[in-house]
Amino acid sequence: MLADNFNNDEKYILRRLEITDKKKGFIELLQQLTVCDSVSDKDFEDRFEELVSEGDNHVICVIEDGNTGKIVATGSVFIEKKFIRNCGKVGHIEDVVVDASTRGMNFGKKVVEFLTQHANSMGCYKVILDCSAENRVFYEKCGYKQNQIQMVKYFS
Amino acid sequence: MLADNFNNDEKYILRRLEITDKKKGFIELLQQLTVCDSVSDKDFEDRFEELVSEGDNHVICVIEDGNTGKIVATGSVFIEKKFIRNCGKVGHIEDVVVDASTRGMNFGKKVVEFLTQHANSMGCYKVILDCSAENRVFYEKCGYKQNQIQMVKYFS
């Protein structure tokens, strides 16, 4: 699935990130998630090309509002290759965020379902993600279960 | 740091995984961690080459017992490239295990320190990992702090 119209009125389009999405508010959307200062066009394009070079092993999807041309939701998944589980693969979902103006429209669930389905199609035996305790119920609605704890070490 | 003798007697060597480590008990060590059936030489070599092609973005380290020629500890780290945090990078530590016969010798800490240092040298702003609640204290001794919760969805 590369693009998907939904919500009947076909106003919203779910697709992979494109290099022109910086002009459509992609970075401003990420700023609703965490620390994300403005990114120069060159830095954006360099990082975009790095990620594209990973092909299906690192996918960022977005939902675009066809009326406004704005990106209103996003999330990413990358595929980790392991030796365990018979040289198995694991999907890691990161950086899921929905624009504050469109919350309650199930866009987060659409994004997580797309990323989960991508990991499945890549042959992963599981998908994992880390979230705050307050987002547990949301991910349970997406078919996830609480499992381990996350530990972190910051360098800066 | 590509290789590191320690413990004074220089019996144990910390280094990156090599393709010959399958003969030194690397897979049997992983079996102490989780489900890991025997892996054919070809599957091992194919996965090894895939990971090597990722260069410094995916590193597996091992500790070899120089007396027995056995791999007694391992762990991996891969580098995720993001747009947030000014196109920042995050290290993900996975699959840390120490052979049951050598526990209590600080090999787990050596492995985690090596992987953490690698992520730092790659310019990551943080390193994360998921673990069971019972391993929390171990990772705290490695400088990590509990943060979020992990959610999982299994396909098989």
Side-chain angles (χ1 to χ4, degrees):
Chain A
M1 181 169 65
L2 282 177
D4 179 25
N5 297 325
F6 57 91
N7 277 40
N8 297 328
D9 60 2
E10 301 193 354
K11 182 179 164 189
Y12 296 99
I13 299 158
L14 190 156
R15 58 169 172 75
R16 292 197 187 192
L17 181 71
E18 298 173 357
I19 201 161
T20 51
D21 287 337
K22 182 168 186 289
K23 293 190 177 68
K24 297 183 176 181
F26 176 69
I27 297 296
E28 291 75 11
L29 178 63
L30 289 177
Q31 288 170 344
Q32 296 182 39
L33 179 70
T34 181
V35 178
C36 184
D37 292 342
S38 60
V39 174
S40 74
D41 287 350
K42 182 171 188 315
D43 286 349
F44 180 85
E45 287 163 15
D46 288 350
R47 176 53 40 96
F48 182 87
E49 295 299 343
E50 279 182 295
L51 293 173
V52 164
S53 75
E54 295 182 30
D56 287 337
N57 288 314
H58 198 138
V59 167
I60 300 178
C61 78
V62 298
I63 294 177
E64 177 178 348
D65 180 337
N67 281 351
T68 65
K70 287 285 177 189
I71 305 301
V72 293
T74 185
S76 71
V77 64
F78 56 89
I79 312 297
E80 177 205 3
K81 293 168 183 170
K82 288 179 176 282
F83 284 105
I84 63 169
R85 296 267 178 168
N86 306 315
C87 295
K89 292 191 266 191
V90 170
H92 295 252
I93 288 179
E94 293 277 339
D95 301 341
V96 174
V97 59
V98 176
D99 185 73
S101 70
T102 59
R103 282 179 197 160
M105 294 172 74
N106 266 333
F107 290 172
K109 193 157 182 278
K110 285 277 181 194
V111 164
V112 173
E113 283 173 350
F114 177 89
L115 301 172
T116 304
Q117 168 56 26
H118 178 72
N120 194 6
S121 75
M122 291 292 289
C124 293
Y125 68 90
K126 71 176 180 182
V127 189
I128 60 175
L129 60 90
D130 296 323
C131 67
S132 62
E134 68 187 15
N135 282 331
R136 181 176 56 80
V137 172
F138 165 71
Y139 284 108
E140 285 173 347
K141 288 178 184 165
C142 298
Y144 285 74
K145 289 184 177 171
Q146 186 172 350
N147 189 29
Q148 294 191 305
I149 59 174
Q150 184 215 45
M151 306 292 290
V152 63
K153 181 181 174 78
Y154 277 91
F155 297 121
S156 60
Chain B
M1 180 170 67
L2 284 175
D4 180 26
N5 297 325
F6 57 90
N7 277 37
N8 297 329
D9 59 2
E10 302 194 354
K11 181 180 166 189
Y12 296 99
I13 300 158
L14 191 155
R15 57 169 171 77
R16 291 197 188 192
L17 181 72
E18 297 173 357
I19 201 162
T20 50
D21 286 336
K22 183 168 185 288
K23 293 190 175 69
K24 295 182 176 181
F26 175 69
I27 298 295
E28 291 75 10
L29 177 63
L30 289 177
Q31 288 170 344
Q32 296 182 37
L33 178 69
T34 182
V35 177
C36 185
D37 292 341
S38 60
V39 173
S40 74
D41 285 352
K42 182 173 187 316
D43 286 349
F44 180 86
E45 287 164 15
D46 288 351
R47 177 52 41 96
F48 182 87
E49 294 299 342
E50 280 182 294
L51 294 173
V52 164
S53 74
E54 296 182 31
D56 286 338
N57 288 314
H58 197 138
V59 167
I60 300 177
C61 79
V62 298
I63 294 177
E64 177 177 349
D65 180 336
N67 280 353
T68 65
K70 288 285 176 189
I71 305 301
V72 294
T74 184
S76 72
V77 65
F78 58 89
I79 312 299
E80 177 205 2
K81 293 167 182 168
K82 289 180 176 282
F83 285 104
I84 63 169
R85 296 266 180 171
N86 306 315
C87 296
K89 292 190 267 190
V90 170
H92 295 252
I93 289 180
E94 294 276 341
D95 302 340
V96 174
V97 58
V98 176
D99 185 72
S101 70
T102 59
R103 285 181 194 158
M105 295 171 74
N106 265 333
F107 289 172
K109 193 156 183 280
K110 285 276 181 194
V111 164
V112 172
E113 284 173 349
F114 177 89
L115 301 172
T116 304
Q117 167 56 26
H118 178 72
N120 194 7
S121 74
M122 291 291 290
C124 293
Y125 69 88
K126 70 175 179 182
V127 190
I128 60 174
L129 59 91
D130 296 323
C131 68
S132 62
E134 69 187 14
N135 282 331
R136 181 177 55 81
V137 172
F138 164 70
Y139 285 108
E140 284 173 350
K141 288 178 184 165
C142 298
Y144 285 74
K145 288 184 178 172
Q146 186 172 348
N147 189 28
Q148 296 191 304
I149 59 173
Q150 183 215 47
M151 307 292 290
V152 64
K153 181 182 174 77
Y154 277 92
F155 297 120
S156 58

